[in-house]
Amino acid sequence: MAAFSNALEITTVSRRLLRWLDLVLILVPLLTVGAMYLAYGRPGLPTLTVWSCGGNYHSLAKFCARFEKLHHCRVRYTAAPIQYLLENVAFRGGKPDLMVGRAGPGWEALKKLGKLAEGPDFFAADPFVIITPPGNPANIRSLVDLGRPGVRVAYAPYAMRPKGKCAGHLMGSVTSKFFPGLNERWENNATVRGQCGRQLPLPIIEGRADAAIVARSMTAYPGVKGSGIEIVPIEQKHLDAMRVCRAVMGQCVGILSDARQPSLAREFRDDMLDELGREVFEDYGYLHITNPEVKRYSPFLEVFTPRRMPPWQVRLADLLAKHGMREEAIRRYLKVIHTFGPNEFEAYAHYRVGELLVAAGNTSAAADQWRQLVRDFPRLRRHEYGSPVFEIVLAGPKIALQPEQYYVDQAEQALRELGDMPEQPCERLLAEACTEPPAVLDGDPPKNGKREFALAEDLFLTGDYEFATRDYLKVLTLNYPSSYRADASFKLGMCDHLRLHNDLAVAQWRWTIEQFPNTQAAKRASAALEQLEGANKESADLSCPVKMPPWTPAYETWPERGMTYGMALYEHRLPLFALKEMFKLIHDEYKPNKLKAQARYRAGICAWEAGHPRAAILEWRLCQRDYVNTPWAEKSAKAIERARGWPGLSPEDREEVQAAVTGPLPKITKRNKPSCWQRLGLGEEFLQVGILDDGEAALEFLKALTVTHASKGKYDEAVVPIAKKKLSEALCSE
Amino acid sequence: MQRITIWRRLSQVGFFFLTGQWLAIGWLRCPYGVPFVSCQSCPLTDCPGRYLQLPVLGLAALSGLGFGRAFCGWVCPLGFLMEVLGKVPKLRATVSKRFTKLDRWLKPLKYVVLAITIYLIFTLNVTTVRPYDYVVRSPSVFNLQAVSIAQSLGVKAFGVRMWILIGVLAVGLVITRVWCRYLCPLGALLGLFNKFSLFKIVRDPEGLPRCGKYPRDCMQHTMPGTTDCVMCGECIQACPRKILGLRFRYARSHSSSEEGRNARPARADITHQP
């Protein structure tokens, strides 16, 4: 303290001198800041305004600095989320000279707004690659290896689209096209889950993970560059499988029509496309357009405009509700909530589900939906592509959507009118079965069973146990080996129990305990089994002239998974849904396959079980005709013989069966891809064999008119008049 | 004006240069609702907060433990700016006198702000799972276009923050250190340390009557050693009777009682001064 006190007494100075000294000290920083501001403004120099999306900030900041020196000008550079920059240009009078960013829908929007004078020109590519620790200890050669047992994977599904979400989509697409179950295995292998794509290289460097999918530019980040990590390129066909976004991110530059410095802007663009650009951007891990390696990726260098699924799904749900198919409409609205991640239609969907449930007399479940709506909405943050700019380019049906607050108000009013509704009566269930569905987030990779599980959970809460069974079975079969399988299996037993099939419930719970020991689901299943002691467990009497041939669950190919799923539906006594899966196999919805003959035969049994003996006879006859010299044709002949003399038929059914045996065969048209035609074919099959009372035919025609629009960006408008005609037929027949 | 002011000013100017950019970006472009808190997980890579936050927080903690609110008087760049604005004499003279009456009622406001800030950290910052949605970057802190784009992101916190800053700077012209005295949550927190920091400003000897110079001449308008004191040290040098000093709070009791005994006759002398 003495030293401190002495320091204060350094010298004897006059008060006036101190005042001056203080003033100088105050003025130094203020004047310095002022001078720095003036220096930044560089009066007299031409100023170029450059805006870009945030991903390439570091490389572009460096490029701007180099350009400033080279051309003796000032570059005012700002990087921000692209939709806000576009909104600034479109609606708030923002006038940058150039825009730089990924080859996304924003460029199309700028073109349509008449704001883009030149470009977009590709200056670099940024493909996804696999990174591994030095020496590649897990011997990773391809995306398939990421699903191998024992491989430790780092991933960041909830990071922003380009560096987090897109990796999940890439795996989802490769799963869809080549390797069923790969996505689930990849997710199950994840030992490191990052919040941001930028965090992925670190665990690889530290050896905490064996592989991660990252954008190539991330391998040049500080700390990553020179760390010795190995880069494994991804096969071309795997990159090509990706449709929802691009596996090779093209980087573009465009000159805007309101550019104040058009000639300088052109020089900037030319430099980006030339040597200066190559020097800077290659240093940051991009493949510059002049690099010969880019040729390999040239098919991917195109402006990509994704199609949006949620509005089409809402349109389908609206149409289903309009045509009185209430249960299917509810499922579709719930699909809007649980399939696409946060989107602007969620509040509307919740409200509509509530309305439809009230109309169905299930006010308790309706109140739950509305309570959830009031609790969770309006959402604070924007949805992906939730910008008026993207509406210009992302085509979809026009849905008269109100702001989320409107539906919240409506729900509140509806709840007031309902009065004090009790919560969903969970206590009548055997165990703690009423669980909240997991929230599906923006970045949840497709094909991992989470979406189907969430949908099934909500259907369970609404009391639609048949539809819930269907979606739980999807988790167990189509999404094998999803991490939600144990819970889905337990809940499936619960659905069986609530559908009064206790024998199935007991079998399902025993299977759960056996397959997933030491899990919460197994514990719940044990508790449920105990509670079911003494209940009636007799199996239902099946009434088909022939027995369904056994099927061993198989998951190697998509058709095998489809058959496994269809057979599971049949075993859970949902023959109509099983029939539809057989039709899907016949119409190559699960890719071309060799299971068609038995699918046709099995379809006959499903149709019979679903109460359509005429359809069953027709299916068996089609099997005989189309697959001669196969055991399934022989089996079909026997089935027809037995069906004709089946004692359980009513006189009307017997007449129908006789007519079907002797009458002409329906003309089944083979419809190939795209999906809209396949769906039409499926609907036609239902129509031709006369299964109309469940609305399945109408549903397929409606799908051909709506949701297939978004399928991989392909849609054939020629399907519309045919589908509309067939829809009318189906609705009239019903 | 005291000699210690020059030392303090040197410290303030140094820290202003060191942390000024962080201050500006934090107030105008931080993607979190409450700035200067979530820097370690912030994706705003052009902001120096990621590197500065821990050392500065460490300094604030050391300041709190050692000297209470000294951080506010010697380090804080916003405190420096508020002090500079308070140097504009005429406005300050007219309004501050009238404002003095309200002063003691407004001082507890900063504890309310502290409580609100803590609440907002948990409701805005902790729940912001995608701060990168709100990131606006620019190589220069002087790029005002970046600020205007940040304002157009549609996040209410951005606008609220900017208007608070503008308001505080404007009012700072008429009320000296208005932010530090009535609103600053960090100041409120550090002020609590004034009660048990290792060092404190004490009157020596204790029990002497007040001369009336303080709080009138204090920039914080407070008494030395109270929770609002920023330990600027000016009062120590300005005290006409030279009875203020920086002391170790937890010194042995016998020495202080001895000092008190020795000081007792002096009190009579002072009270009899004309």
Side-chain angles (χ1 to χ4, degrees):
Chain A
M1 276 308 97
F4 178 73
S5 301
N6 291 340
L8 301 179
E9 305 288 338
I10 45 165
T11 178
T12 310
V13 284
S14 72
R15 189 153 291 196
R16 180 173 287 184
L17 185 63
L18 281 174
R19 281 223 176 93
W20 276 108
L21 202 55
D22 189 38
L23 187 64
V24 170
L25 282 173
I26 285 172
L27 285 177
V28 164
L30 297 184
L31 291 174
T32 311
V33 169
M36 283 167 76
Y37 182 69
L38 284 177
Y40 172 74
R42 289 184 207 172
L45 287 183
T47 301
L48 196 65
T49 306
V50 179
W51 288 0
S52 84
C53 61
N56 39 28
Y57 168 75
H58 294 284
S59 56
L60 212 55
K62 189 176 175 186
F63 181 84
C64 290
R66 296 279 299 272
F67 184 82
E68 278 180 341
K69 276 185 191 164
L70 202 68
H71 292 268
H72 198 57
C73 66
R74 182 171 77 111
V75 180
R76 193 164 50 170
Y77 169 49
T78 310
I82 196 72
Q83 66 266 37
Y84 300 111
L85 296 179
L86 290 169
E87 281 171 24
N88 260 298
V89 172
F91 311 121
R92 297 194 201 104
K95 288 177 182 171
D97 296 288
L98 290 123
M99 285 197 75
V100 182
R102 283 183 299 130
W107 294 108
E108 281 297 322
L110 283 175
K111 264 187 199 169
K112 285 200 172 176
L113 287 163
K115 297 279 183 186
L116 195 65
E118 293 173 38
D121 298 298
F122 285 86
F123 68 91
D126 193 12
F128 276 109
V129 292
I130 305 169
I131 53 169
T132 72
N136 193 356
N139 193 26
I140 304 293
R141 294 278 165 253
S142 155
L143 287 178
V144 194
D145 294 324
L146 271 58
R148 231 193 306 131
V151 170
R152 297 165 306 157
V153 169
Y155 87 151
Y158 306 121
M160 253 183 130
R161 181 171 266 275
K163 284 162 188 169
K165 185 178 177 177
C166 281
H169 276 296
L170 174 63
M171 285 303 268
S173 308
V174 173
T175 303
S176 254
K177 196 156 187 181
F178 300 105
F179 309 107
L182 175 63
N183 207 26
E184 290 86 349
R185 291 188 178 98
W186 171 62
E187 273 208 88
N188 294 346
N189 278 349
T191 51
V192 180
R193 289 164 204 264
Q195 281 257 317
C196 172
R198 299 173 70 94
Q199 296 166 348
L200 292 182
L202 192 64
I204 302 291
I205 296 167
E206 291 173 350
R208 285 187 284 127
D210 298 318
I213 303 169
V214 298
R216 193 181 187 276
S217 59
M218 286 162 69
T219 61
Y221 282 171
V224 183
K225 202 175 185 179
S227 63
I229 58 162
E230 289 194 12
I231 298 173
V232 181
I234 295 171
E235 285 173 64
Q236 188 98 0
K237 63 177 182 181
H238 293 167
L239 294 174
D240 194 36
M242 196 163 169
R243 293 284 177 212
V244 278
C245 46
R246 279 285 173 261
V248 179
M249 290 174 278
Q251 298 287 339
C252 303
V253 55
I255 299 171
L256 273 79
S257 47
D258 293 328
R260 292 191 180 104
Q261 302 281 349
S263 57
L264 196 61
R266 278 187 204 102
E267 284 184 50
F268 189 92
R269 180 202 50 201
D270 295 345
D271 278 358
M272 283 184 90
L273 299 171
D274 217 333
E275 273 311 301
L276 179 64
R278 180 166 183 171
E279 197 184 314
V280 173
F281 293 110
E282 295 251 322
D283 195 35
Y284 281 87
Y286 294 97
L287 286 172
H288 192 258
I289 198 74
T290 54
N291 188 327
E293 213 186 314
V294 163
K295 275 187 186 161
R296 190 187 151 205
Y297 300 112
S298 52
F300 302 103
L301 297 184
E302 58 177 356
V303 172
F304 176 65
T305 306
R307 285 188 182 261
R308 294 203 65 213
M309 194 73 175
W312 287 112
Q313 198 68 244
V314 170
R315 168 56 62 90
L316 175 60
D318 284 347
L319 288 170
L320 286 165
K322 185 182 155 193
H323 293 301
M325 288 176 263
R326 194 185 295 136
E327 286 177 355
E328 187 62 49
I330 290 173
R331 183 172 177 269
R332 292 285 149 183
Y333 283 124
L334 291 177
K335 221 171 167 184
V336 171
I337 298 164
H338 297 298
T339 303
F340 308 109
N343 64 76
E344 64 268 42
F345 299 97
E346 274 181 287
Y348 172 70
H350 273 296
Y351 182 67
R352 287 289 291 142
V353 170
E355 277 188 331
L356 291 171
L357 285 169
V358 167
N362 191 351
T363 45
S364 168
D368 279 351
Q369 283 293 327
W370 286 332
R371 278 192 208 108
Q372 204 180 336
L373 172 57
V374 173
R375 187 192 67 193
D376 296 344
F377 294 87
R379 297 254 195 232
L380 287 175
R381 59 175 291 268
R382 276 198 191 192
H383 309 294
E384 191 180 34
Y385 297 125
S387 164
V389 180
F390 289 127
E391 282 172 21
I392 299 166
V393 282
L394 298 177
K398 292 275 174 261
I399 309 282
L401 199 66
Q402 302 287 340
E404 288 176 339
Q405 187 60 48
Y406 171 82
Y407 298 109
V408 173
D409 295 341
Q410 293 287 310
E412 277 175 333
Q413 196 184 329
L415 280 169
R416 275 196 297 274
E417 282 167 16
L418 279 180
D420 288 333
M421 287 298 302
E423 296 281 326
Q424 189 91 344
C426 289
E427 63 275 7
R428 77 186 167 88
L429 303 178
L430 287 173
E432 306 152 352
C434 283
T435 45
E436 186 122 325
V440 175
L441 304 175
D442 235 0
D444 272 317
K447 307 275 172 207
N448 68 348
K450 187 177 181 183
R451 288 167 167 79
E452 287 80 0
F453 183 70
L455 179 59
E457 290 280 84
D458 223 351
L459 285 165
F460 184 88
L461 290 175
T462 60
D464 192 337
Y465 304 119
E466 286 197 1
F467 274 132
T469 298
R470 196 161 77 159
D471 283 291
Y472 285 129
L473 280 174
K474 278 188 182 175
V475 179
L476 284 168
T477 57
L478 295 180
N479 293 289
Y480 178 89
S482 166
S483 54
Y484 293 93
R485 288 175 76 235
D487 289 332
S489 178
F490 164 69
K491 295 298 281 286
L492 190 56
M494 195 57 81
C495 287
D496 288 332
H497 165 62
L498 292 164
R499 288 171 53 227
L500 308 176
H501 298 302
N502 281 340
D503 57 320
L504 291 178
V506 167
Q508 190 62 44
W509 285 328
R510 283 191 183 139
W511 189 80
T512 308
I513 296 163
E514 187 190 306
Q515 292 290 315
F516 311 103
N518 306 321
T519 60
Q520 189 68 20
K523 280 180 199 163
R524 286 177 174 181
S526 301
L529 275 174
E530 276 175 29
Q531 289 190 45
L532 213 62
E533 284 288 322
N536 177 25
K537 294 192 258 309
E538 279 178 23
S539 61
D541 186 22
L542 296 174
S543 57
C544 185
V546 282
K547 271 193 171 180
M548 179 68 91
W551 168 262
T552 312
Y555 305 100
E556 282 306 303
T557 64
W558 280 112
E560 282 177 356
R561 284 177 180 234
M563 182 60 88
T564 306
Y565 172 49
M567 288 307 297
L569 284 166
Y570 177 80
E571 281 162 14
H572 284 270
R573 296 187 194 130
L574 294 168
L576 190 71
F577 292 155
L579 174 67
K580 190 170 166 179
E581 295 312 308
M582 298 306 148
F583 283 172
K584 279 189 188 174
L585 279 161
I586 295 163
H587 286 266
D588 290 340
E589 277 271 309
Y590 289 110
K591 300 187 189 309
N593 62 81
K594 291 177 183 170
L595 300 173
K596 285 179 193 170
Q598 60 169 303
R600 190 63 93 181
Y601 174 70
R602 290 174 196 273
I605 299 173
C606 293
W608 189 283
E609 295 278 351
H612 298 282
R614 177 178 168 268
I617 299 291
L618 291 176
E619 286 300 320
W620 287 324
R621 282 186 65 199
L622 284 167
C623 184
Q624 274 183 300
R625 187 193 71 184
D626 296 343
Y627 308 104
V628 259
N629 300 329
T630 64
W632 303 103
E634 284 173 31
K635 282 175 190 270
S636 294
K638 280 181 193 167
I640 293 168
E641 272 311 304
R642 293 194 69 182
R644 291 176 77 176
W646 187 246
L649 287 174
S650 65
E652 297 85 41
D653 283 344
R654 194 171 297 281
E655 259 179 48
E656 271 195 7
V657 165
Q658 288 300 341
V661 171
T662 51
L665 272 174
K667 194 180 167 192
I668 306 289
T669 317
K670 175 85 175 73
R671 303 286 190 184
N672 293 321
K673 281 195 166 186
S675 182
C676 52
W677 285 110
Q678 284 181 318
R679 287 288 171 183
L680 185 83
L682 220 56
E684 282 175 336
E685 177 106 27
F686 276 110
L687 201 61
Q688 295 282 9
V689 296
I691 302 176
L692 294 160
D693 52 344
D694 293 286
E696 288 294 335
L699 172 65
E700 294 307 317
F701 296 133
L702 284 170
K703 279 186 186 174
L705 288 168
T706 55
V707 286
T708 45
H709 267 82
S711 175
K712 299 184 179 177
K714 289 176 185 171
Y715 188 76
D716 188 354
E717 291 290 341
V719 81
V720 174
I722 305 169
K724 278 187 176 170
K725 193 178 158 215
K726 299 275 179 186
L727 176 65
S728 315
E729 266 180 55
L731 290 171
C732 289
S733 308
E734 278 177 35
Chain B
M1 177 60 58
Q2 307 299 325
R3 285 182 295 273
I4 195 171
T5 313
I6 304 303
W7 287 103
R8 198 166 62 82
R9 202 68 81 212
L10 280 169
S11 165
Q12 283 180 314
V13 170
F15 280 107
F16 179 80
F17 279 123
L18 192 71
T19 59
Q21 190 187 1
W22 184 29
L23 179 80
I25 293 177
W27 272 97
L28 301 171
R29 286 201 268 128
C30 177
Y32 290 94
V34 181
F36 312 113
V37 176
S38 310
C39 301
Q40 298 307 309
S41 56
C42 181
L44 196 62
T45 44
D46 59 321
C47 174
R50 190 176 296 189
Y51 314 105
L52 287 174
Q53 191 200 31
L54 291 180
V56 170
L57 281 182
L59 198 62
L62 281 177
S63 154
L65 291 171
F67 301 94
R69 253 187 104 170
F71 180 88
C72 305
W74 291 74
V75 176
C76 179
L78 187 58
F80 169 65
L81 275 181
M82 298 304 315
E83 212 173 316
V84 169
L85 290 171
K87 296 254 167 219
V88 182
K90 288 212 168 170
L91 282 168
R92 183 166 50 102
T94 50
V95 183
S96 279
K97 272 183 188 168
R98 288 177 201 166
F99 195 76
T100 307
K101 289 175 189 171
L102 278 173
D103 183 74
R104 72 185 178 122
W105 297 106
L106 286 175
K107 273 181 175 165
L109 191 62
K110 60 181 169 290
Y111 298 106
V112 179
V113 176
L114 174 65
I116 293 171
T117 306
I118 291 169
Y119 170 76
L120 288 178
I121 287 169
F122 285 96
T123 52
L124 291 179
N125 288 26
V126 176
T127 56
T128 306
V129 286
R130 295 170 61 111
Y132 32 80
D133 275 359
Y134 316 120
V135 160
V136 179
R137 296 179 178 131
S138 176
S140 171
V141 72
F142 298 110
N143 183 359
L144 297 182
Q145 205 167 53
V147 177
S148 76
I149 289 172
Q151 295 297 320
S152 70
L153 293 185
V155 185
K156 281 180 190 164
F158 279 48
V160 170
R161 239 163 35 200
M162 192 181 76
W163 285 111
I164 288 176
L165 181 65
I166 291 171
V168 160
L169 292 176
V171 180
L173 285 166
V174 290
I175 303 165
T176 316
R177 290 179 76 103
V178 63
W179 172 257
C180 317
R181 283 158 69 184
Y182 311 121
L183 298 169
C184 179
L186 181 63
L189 189 66
L190 290 175
L192 300 175
F193 285 82
N194 277 6
K195 290 287 177 195
F196 52 85
S197 59
L198 293 176
F199 295 95
K200 64 171 183 174
I201 294 176
V202 291
R203 280 191 294 150
D204 189 14
E206 295 279 350
L208 282 179
R210 289 167 183 168
C211 64
K213 192 172 170 61
Y214 288 88
R216 192 190 62 216
D217 286 3
C218 175
M219 63 177 176
Q220 282 283 102
H221 200 81
T222 190
M223 292 298 291
T226 59
T227 51
D228 288 312
C229 172
V230 294
M231 306 283 271
C232 66
E234 293 198 12
C235 54
I236 298 175
Q237 289 191 346
C239 178
R241 284 169 275 174
K242 303 290 177 201
I243 57 167
L244 293 174
L246 192 70
R247 293 281 183 274
F248 185 60
R249 185 188 297 268
Y250 304 103
R252 283 185 192 172
S253 56
H254 79 269
S255 58
S256 59
S257 61
E258 203 165 308
E259 278 172 20
R261 269 199 307 278
N262 294 340
R264 211 173 287 272
R267 187 171 63 172
D269 296 341
I270 291 167
T271 45
H272 287 96
Q273 273 182 354

